[in-house]
């Protein structure tokens, strides 16, 4: 499995970020072809403090190729185009070749 990991810095308006992400962005994400599972939410340090990132999204796909195909699809392009609507700063986007199990 391959994971698409998106790391967001704390925005000026965390409440707007949270509301838009859950109500608008996630429904767009769930339409991406090849998406197997998602996990997302606010991030903190182990003691509950603010970490380097405010929010993390993880999408599971069959392969890195599937991630690229999903992002290139019309649905994926809508997802990418929506990011500035809730996050003025570009997120950090990573790939993890997962060894779940």
């Amino acid at each position: 499995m391959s994971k698409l990991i998106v790391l967001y810095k704390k925005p000026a308006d965390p409440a707007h970020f949270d509301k838009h992400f859950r109500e608008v962005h996630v429904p767009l994400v769930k339409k991406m072809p090849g998406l197997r599972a998602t996990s997302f939410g606010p991030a903190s340090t182990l003691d509950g403090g603010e970490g380097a990132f405010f929010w993390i999204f993880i999408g599971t796909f069959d392969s890195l190729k599937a991630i690229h195909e999903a992002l290139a699809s019309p649905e994926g392009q809508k997802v990418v185009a929506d990011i500035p609507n809730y996050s003025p700063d570009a997120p950090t986007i990573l790939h993890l070749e997962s060894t779940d199990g």
Side-chain angles (χ1 to χ4, degrees):
M1 289 293 177
S2 288
K3 309 279 184 172
L4 172 67
I5 302 171
V6 185
L7 308 169
Y8 296 92
K9 296 284 188 181
K10 186 173 183 179
D13 187 349
H16 169 73
F17 181 106
D18 187 300
K19 181 176 175 55
H20 187 96
F21 194 93
R22 293 177 190 275
E23 295 178 7
V24 178
H25 197 69
V26 170
L28 293 173
V29 168
K30 291 194 174 195
K31 293 178 182 177
M32 289 175 62
L35 181 65
R36 301 285 180 219
T38 63
S39 181
F40 60 87
S44 64
T45 60
L46 290 177
D47 64 3
E50 284 191 23
F53 295 98
F54 164 75
W55 194 274
I56 298 174
F57 168 86
I58 302 169
T60 303
F61 293 83
D62 289 336
S63 65
L64 179 58
K65 181 180 179 208
I67 291 172
H68 285 292
E69 289 172 351
L71 291 171
S73 72
E75 296 86 355
Q77 291 298 299
K78 287 179 184 174
V79 167
V80 172
D82 185 51
I83 293 171
N85 294 326
Y86 62 90
S87 179
D89 297 323
T92 298
I93 301 174
L94 305 170
H95 165 253
L96 171 66
E97 192 58 41
S98 179
T99 54
D100 291 340

